[in-house]
Every structure is written in C-alpha cells, then in structure tokens.
Amino acid sequence: MRKYVWFCLSMGLAISLIGCGDDGNNGGGGSAGSGGTAGSGGTGGASTATVSGIVYAATDGDSVTLAGATVSIPGTSFTTTSGSDGSFSIEAPVGAGMILATAAGHWGELQAGTVLAGGLTGVELEVIPDDLVDQVAGALGETADPSKGLVAVIYDEDVAVGGETADLGVNYGFAFVFGPGDGDPMESNVLIADGGSEVIFANVDVSTDVMPSATDAGDQDCSFEFPDAVYPSQAKVLTEVAMVCPQAR
C-alpha cells in the first residue's frame, strides 16, 4: 500500500495556515477562486481578517478539489462552504488560531496557524474520504472508529532522519508511521529512516485536549510550532500538531 497523500500535512506553518500543495501532491492550490460563500459570525470585537483558499479531498493519487465542504473557525461562529471549485473565503480572528474543514463521507482536518492582519490567501485544507482511512487501518489489521479522533504529530520532513518518537498523553487505540519505499503503514510511534515524517495516532479519546510530546533522533525534546494553540481531539477529525526539533533550529 502506498503512502496516501492525505498524510502530506501542513509543514512550514510559522507565519500562516498553508498546506503542502507545493510538493505537487495537492494539485494547484493558490488563492481562492470564485464560488466560496462568505461566513457570518463574530468574535466579540476582536480584529478579524479574511482567510481564503481551497478545500481538497485526498485520493490515492493527486488530491481533487471538493465542493460543499464546511470550513469553520473553532471558538467562533464564523463558517462557510466551499464553492464549486473547492474555494472558500472566511473571516477569522487575527493571531494564532485553528481552522477546520469537514465534509460528509470524509474525515475532517483541523490545523493551527497564525492569521495575519492583512489576511491570508492560498490556504489548503484536505479532508480524507472514509474509504482511505478504512484502507490504512485495515492494512494494519485495525479499525478506525469514527466516534473518536485522529492526531498527527508532524516533524519537519527535511530534517527527520528516523528514530524520532512521539507520545500523545491521552488514551488512543493505535499509532502508526509510514515506512520507506512504497510507504506501507507500520504500527509504531517512532519514525523510520527514509519513511514518513508523521506519527499518526488513531481512535483518540475525544473527551480532552491532546498535548503530545516529541523527541528528535537524539532524544532531545521538540517544541510546538504553535505553542499558544490548543489541540482538541474531535470525532472523525484529523488534528495536526506540528513540531520543531533541535536539529531543525
């Protein structure tokens, strides 16, 4: 089984919410086109800015744009729906925050980032079809429970060498990584040399927030790329937690 593109998660998020489309896996990306519906809501007087981009649905090849996905800003009433070309435009509070994409028949995606005062364009969100999640879990002899969450602890793919370890701090069912070559999933919470740069935890308890811990290959502690973010585990949602490790600094 190949490494699915939906595990190409949001690296390089230091100044904005932006996905991994630049590596060719997510298609065109770029700024939002027409068709997205502006969301409504409020933040109690806090400054807001416009965030726009594209919602994709992962496949086992190139991802495709997805119409009718719901995009929302957790903790606010801002919400919108992606247009016919997958584009969306939504208001969000300026500063550190989260953005969530969900769609029927898919697992959602929740990622952290920083909304700049001038707004953001080119944001890429990717939801995961149910059958892809089921295929990966099935390859491990496991079952993904849609009443629980997925959490991905993400290392910088340019510096991950294998041997990096992640732990979750809350109850979960199983953890896996992608191996080298064809990228077969393997049950482990330790990265494998020449494999993927994410440790994914499945069937995660949704009753509490998760605050994972991570170490690099030299057993040095890694830190959160967004230390002010709160990472909830939500039913049928993949929560992304990006890490910065000593060897990447």
Side-chain angles (χ1 to χ4, degrees):
M1 180 178 294
R2 61 168 293 163
K3 177 180 176 182
Y4 291 109
V5 291
W6 58 275
F7 282 117
C8 177
L9 300 175
S10 305
M11 303 305 297
L13 302 180
I15 61 171
S16 66
L17 293 159
I18 189 164
C20 57
D22 288 344
D23 67 3
N25 285 337
N26 275 348
S31 60
S34 61
T37 304
S40 61
T43 59
S47 297
T48 65
T50 301
V51 176
S52 61
I54 305 289
V55 179
Y56 293 92
T59 73
D60 59 359
D62 290 338
S63 295
V64 296
T65 59
L66 182 67
T70 299
V71 178
S72 60
I73 307 299
T76 77
S77 57
F78 292 128
T79 186
T80 191
T81 302
S82 61
S84 59
D85 57 357
S87 65
F88 70 89
S89 179
I90 190 170
E91 289 296 299
V94 171
M98 308 291 285
I99 188 167
L100 172 66
T102 59
H106 297 71
W107 287 64
E109 180 193 45
L110 178 67
Q111 61 172 258
T114 300
V115 177
L116 307 178
L120 294 173
T121 62
V123 175
E124 294 181 346
L125 302 172
E126 188 172 39
V127 296
I128 311 154
D130 292 348
D131 60 349
L132 283 186
V133 177
D134 292 342
Q135 286 177 47
V136 172
L140 297 167
E142 303 281 1
T143 300
D145 184 349
S147 71
K148 298 185 181 297
L150 292 170
V151 176
V153 176
I154 308 166
Y155 293 85
D156 186 337
E157 62 184 351
D158 293 328
V159 297
V161 297
E164 294 87 351
T165 301
D167 289 299
L168 200 54
V170 299
N171 292 330
Y172 65 92
F174 60 98
F176 63 97
V177 297
F178 287 107
D182 290 337
D184 291 341
M186 307 171 69
E187 285 207 44
S188 179
N189 66 333
V190 181
L191 294 188
I192 299 170
D194 300 318
S197 56
E198 310 88 18
V199 179
I200 301 97
F201 298 87
N203 296 347
V204 179
D205 183 5
V206 297
S207 65
T208 185
D209 295 334
V210 297
M211 293 298 286
S213 60
T215 58
D216 65 15
D219 204 31
Q220 301 179 89
D221 289 337
C222 303
S223 58
F224 295 103
E225 187 164 5
F226 297 99
D228 296 329
V230 176
Y231 297 96
S233 174
Q234 298 185 19
K236 209 176 179 184
V237 169
L238 172 68
T239 298
E240 304 173 10
V241 186
M243 292 289 184
V244 178
C245 296
Q247 75 265 35
R249 297 190 180 108

